[in-house]
């Protein structure tokens, strides 16, 4: 049985404490400068700047593919690399196939299509490509013989090629014995700014059949779905099935209407009237029987129908099927659309609440509250649709519009004239928005994990210092991102200004006994500025400003109590430890937050505040430029004496030769988990945020650029095979390239550097890459991006799941920042000003953009700029380019229209 308690990032630190003590068993020696050989640049300029189609996957490179299909905050099902479905994360928690073999009669999720060719030479195939050999045994996880959905062993198509342009996944199947080629397209509506239609709890599949033979072909195409709402009674005895007339099957259960297990699912055909089997053969005990009988029917052409009203056979595996018949002339084609919908209105997940006393009884998945009581919370989609049948019919009724709008978004994004791997990085991580990482409450509030374990969330609470990096939501769905500012500043901050960096779900008070996260709390100020600029809502800013002031004043009192301009006191951060003494990572965010506060204070009519914060920002910049910049990059000055916090100084005051080896090590080197003279990849992260958000900062630009060059020079490795990593090497290892979190080119690496320091995280790679590009170091930035995506090749890792502490890790949404970096596009709704400065020389240059009022494309050919709106509108009073003075434009670009401006030097 899987453990009910999953290790958090903090558990990881505790678990490694014994290793840390062992590491200290020998006397600490000053470390030499790191001199790992650096091979030649891994990519040529031609490779870096080339545009072209997205890559495709075949053979063993389909093994790891799992592309999330679902609604924002509504759960998802994944499309795998051979055209099937897996990972039914539809019950407010992740549920992936990366688990030991086993079978629960109430959770045998299965969704699959079968194609039966009629005529003299019949053939019947599961409509999926070859099953990846690695998955058959999976290092013993499948030691019961791949006991999963029950259909995996059916005859399959011989060949499969997979390609993804998120939100669409496409698998093309061929087989020498089958006269039809099948193209499977999986998707869910993804429409920027439209959070309702981008949050539909459904998966849509389109099966395009094409006759590649010289003869007419008659066929039967059927789709089969296990009961996705089985309830908690033995042998699925709580299940209820019914026909959706002329469309498909509805599945629900007889659990109490406020129970966690209560819910429904639906299977319908789009644009065709199917034959319907609303209930499978029920056979208590062995789960195999239902599909044995089903295969016999469809493979012999004797599919039987029923209305699901069988009140005699009430136990055993359950499900429903639909069948469509057709005939294709040579060269003919036909597409069959399938919708799988789900609806589970009662959510019992509770995380981060200060007091968690409830009247809930039962085990996870089967929890209940007393009759008549409300469930702890409900998902947003439950406020829009009453059950899964309602969801499915909504999709059918709006299918053409939902598809057209989603295609418009996809085509606009992939028409950007950026290198294919850049668009791959941007689009693939949009899958995080649709993954089980993101939840949404009935009141509209968004909440997120950091990432996902196979059967539970990992690290709760829209963790502020992780979500600092995520740039997709604020631009594509800014109304959802703004709910996170309420989570931080309204519900997770106390009267002192302490922000608990992990917010609660459902909404409620949080505990304030642990450290505030300095990078998360100060980054929240910068995100408030960003969201104000995106929305243009100054009235909202006026409501939020007093809260922001309380937050930053707490930060000043706690970490810079003498107003010297740096974070001196121990400050918690995204590496799950505390830095002691002034260092550039969190202090750069401090400079950005102070500068943002000065600009916001001025906007809300607080000139005194504006002057105070601007002055402290200048002092802070002057301090780190003078004391932390070593001529190449900013470094940490570790300090534990002369601080308000005397805990460490006291702990080592009486250490002598008789003390423990660990105590002696700490006496020699200072607090554990510092970086000192190291070159930190997050070293100027605050300036990255400032550059993206439009915050004017006083830090020396030449030093910022030098620091970025040093990060690339020292931390980017084209080959990690000689890199020693005692932490979590699986993110990048062996001959793979990657950007280390930190290096020590000048020596003096601590015996116990901050945990994770030797790792590679894609979220930080994208942060650094986009910042390099912003500063004109384009080849360096592109090199980091191309290297990161090369590791996600389908064989070793899933291209649609960049993981860190868990799958679909929120930090990876930093990849969206590449669009703004390469295009130079930024728009302020406050100033109605558009900035545009492409970093690539190809013409015509074109790039996708999304603002709070609409999305579209911006293009440059010769000296003419063209803005085209696909949805919404964009009011532009002023245009700011890199090489000319600001230009008055005074135009509003509306839906479907185009505005052009020719620039005269």
């Amino acid at each position: 049985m899987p453990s009910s308690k999953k290790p958090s990032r903090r558990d990881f630190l505790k678990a490694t404490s014994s290793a840390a003590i062992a590491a200290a068993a020998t006397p600490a020696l000053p470390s030499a400068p790191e001199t790992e050989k650096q091979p030649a640049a891994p990519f040529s300029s031609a490779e870096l700047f080339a545009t072209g189609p997205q890559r495709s996957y075949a053979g063993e490179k389909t093994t790891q593919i799992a592309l999330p299909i679902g609604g924002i905050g509504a759960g998802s099902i994944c499309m795998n690399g051979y055209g099937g479905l897996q990972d039914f994360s539809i019950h407010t928690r992740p549920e992936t196939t990366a688990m030991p073999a086993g079978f629960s009669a109430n959770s045998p999720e299965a969704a699959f299509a079968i194609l039966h060719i009629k005529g003299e030479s019949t053939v019947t195939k599961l409509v999926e490509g070859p099953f990846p050999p690695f998955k058959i045994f999976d290092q013993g996880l499948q030691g019961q013989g791949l006991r999963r959905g029950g259909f995996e062993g059916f005859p399959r198509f011989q060949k499969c090629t997979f390609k993804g342009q998120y939100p669409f996944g496409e698998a093309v199947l061929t087989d020498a014995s089958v006269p039809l080629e099948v193209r499977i397209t999986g998707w869910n509506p993804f429409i920027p700014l439209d959070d309702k239609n981008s949050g539909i709890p459904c998966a849509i599949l389109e099966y395009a059949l094409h006759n590649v033979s010289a003869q007419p072909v008659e066929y039967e195409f059927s789709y089969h779905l296990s009961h996705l709402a089985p309830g908690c009674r033995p042998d699925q005895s709580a299940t209820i099935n019914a026909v959706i007339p002329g469309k498909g099957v509805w599945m629900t259960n007889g659990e109490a209407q406020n129970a966690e297990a209560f819910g429904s699912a639906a299977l319908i055909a789009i644009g065709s009237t199917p034959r319907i089997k609303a209930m499978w053969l029920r056979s208590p005990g062995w789960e195999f029987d239902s599909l044995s009988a089903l295969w016999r029917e469809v493979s012999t052409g004797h599919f039987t129908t029923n209305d699901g009203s069988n009140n005699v056979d009430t136990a055993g595996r359950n499900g429903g099927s639909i069948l469509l018949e057709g005939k294709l002339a040579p060269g003919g084609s036909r597409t069959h659309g399938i919708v799988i919908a789900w609806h589970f209105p009662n959510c019992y997940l509770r995380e981060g609440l200060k007091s968690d006393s409830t009247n809930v009884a039962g085990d996870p998945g089967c929890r209940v509250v007393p009759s008549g009581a409300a469930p702890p919370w409900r998902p947003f989609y439950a406020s829009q649709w009453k059950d899964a049948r309602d969801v499915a019919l909504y999709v059918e009724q709006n299918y053409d519009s939902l598809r057209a709008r989603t295609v418009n978004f996809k085509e606009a994004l992939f028409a950007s004239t950026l290198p294919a791997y850049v668009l791959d990085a941007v689009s693939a991580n949009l899958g995080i928005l649709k993954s089980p990482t993101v939840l949404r409450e009935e009141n509209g509030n968004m909440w997120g994990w950091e990432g996902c374990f196979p059967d539970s969330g990992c690290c709760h609470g829209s963790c502020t210092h992780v979500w600092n990096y995520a740039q997709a939501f604020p631009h594509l769905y800014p109304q959802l991102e703004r709910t996170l500012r309420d989570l931080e500043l309204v519900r997770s901050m106390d009267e002192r200004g302490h922000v608990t960096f992990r917010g609660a779900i459902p909404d409620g008070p949080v505990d304030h006994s642990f450290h505030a996260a300095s990078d998360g709390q100060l980054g929240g100020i910068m995100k408030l500025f960003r969201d104000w600029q995106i929305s243009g809502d100054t009235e909202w800013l006026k409501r939020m400003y007093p809260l922001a002031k309380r937050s930053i004043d707490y930060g000043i009192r706690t970490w810079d109590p003498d107003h010297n301009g740096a974070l001196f006191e121990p400050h918690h951060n995204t590496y799950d430890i505390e830095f002691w003494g002034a260092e550039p990572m969190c202090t750069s965010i401090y400079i950005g937050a102070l500068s943002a506060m000065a600009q916001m204070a001025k906007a809300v009519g607080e000139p005194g505040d504006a002057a105070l914060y601007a002055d402290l920002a200048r002092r802070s910049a002057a301090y780190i430029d003078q004391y932390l910049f070593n001529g190449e990059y900013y470094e940490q000055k570790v300090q534990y004496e002369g601080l308000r916090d005397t805990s460490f100084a006291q702990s080592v005051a009486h250490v002598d030769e008789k003390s423990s080896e660990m105590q002696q090590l700490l006496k020699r080197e200072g607090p554990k988990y510092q970086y000192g003279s190291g070159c930190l990849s997050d070293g100027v992260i605050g300036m990255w945020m400032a550059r993206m958000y439009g915050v004017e900062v006083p830090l020396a630009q030449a030093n910022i650029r030098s620091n970025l060059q040093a990060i690339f020079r020292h931390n980017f490795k084209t080959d990690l095979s000689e890199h020693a990593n005692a932490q979590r090497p699986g993110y990048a290892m062996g001959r793979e390239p990657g950007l280390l979190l930190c290096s020590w080119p000048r020596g003096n690496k601590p015996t116990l550097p901050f945990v994770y320091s030797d790792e590679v995280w894609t979220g930080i790679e994208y942060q650094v890459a986009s910042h390099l590009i912003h500063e004109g170091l384009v080849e360096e930035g592109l090199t980091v991006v191309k290297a990161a995506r090369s590791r996600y090749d389908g064989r070793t890792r899933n291209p649609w799941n960049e993981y860190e502490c868990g799958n679909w890790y929120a930090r990876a949404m930093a990849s969206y920042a590449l669009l703004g970096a390469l295009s130079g596009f930024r728009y302020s709704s406050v100033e109605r000003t558009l900035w545009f400065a492409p970093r690539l020389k190809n013409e015509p240059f074109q790039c996708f953009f999304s603002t709070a009022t609409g999305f579209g494309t911006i293009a440059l050919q010769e000296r003419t700029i063209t803005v085209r709106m696909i949805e919404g509108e964009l009011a532009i009073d002023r245009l700011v380019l890199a090489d000319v003075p600001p230009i008055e434009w005074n135009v509003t670009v509306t839906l479907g229209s185009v505005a052009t401006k020719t620039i005269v030097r």
Side-chain angles (χ1 to χ4, degrees), residues 179-195:
L180 302 183
E181 176 191 87
V182 182
R183 185 179 301 268
I184 309 166
T185 302
W187 63 286
N188 175 283
F190 195 118
I191 307 161
L193 309 182
D194 188 344
D195 56 295

Side-chain angles (χ1 to χ4, degrees), residues 18-145:
S18 60
I21 293 171
T26 56
L29 299 175
S31 66
E34 296 177 341
T35 57
E36 296 174 7
K37 282 190 175 181
Q38 184 74 322
F43 314 111
S44 68
S45 293
E47 291 176 297
L48 289 175
F49 291 101
T51 58
Q54 290 298 298
R55 57 183 168 172
S56 58
Y57 307 82
E60 64 181 7
K61 290 195 172 182
T62 66
T63 301
Q64 303 290 354
I65 290 174
L67 182 148
I69 302 174
I72 295 174
S76 64
I77 301 172
C78 286
M79 182 180 184
N80 58 41
Y82 37 97
L85 296 183
Q86 64 182 58
D87 305 338
F88 290 73
S89 302
I90 58 177
H91 301 97
T92 322
R93 64 182 181 275
E95 294 183 57
T96 73
T97 56
M99 297 294 291
F103 190 91
S104 165
N106 278 6
S107 60
E109 293 96 345
F112 58 96
I114 294 176
L115 179 66
H116 175 66
I117 304 298
K118 302 169 72 172
E120 295 182 4
S121 300
T122 63
V123 61
T124 307
K125 296 280 188 178
L126 177 73
V127 190
E128 295 185 12
F131 196 81
F134 177 80
K135 286 188 172 183
I136 294 173
F137 182 61
D138 200 3
Q139 298 185 338
L141 289 177
Q142 307 309 318
Q144 288 193 33

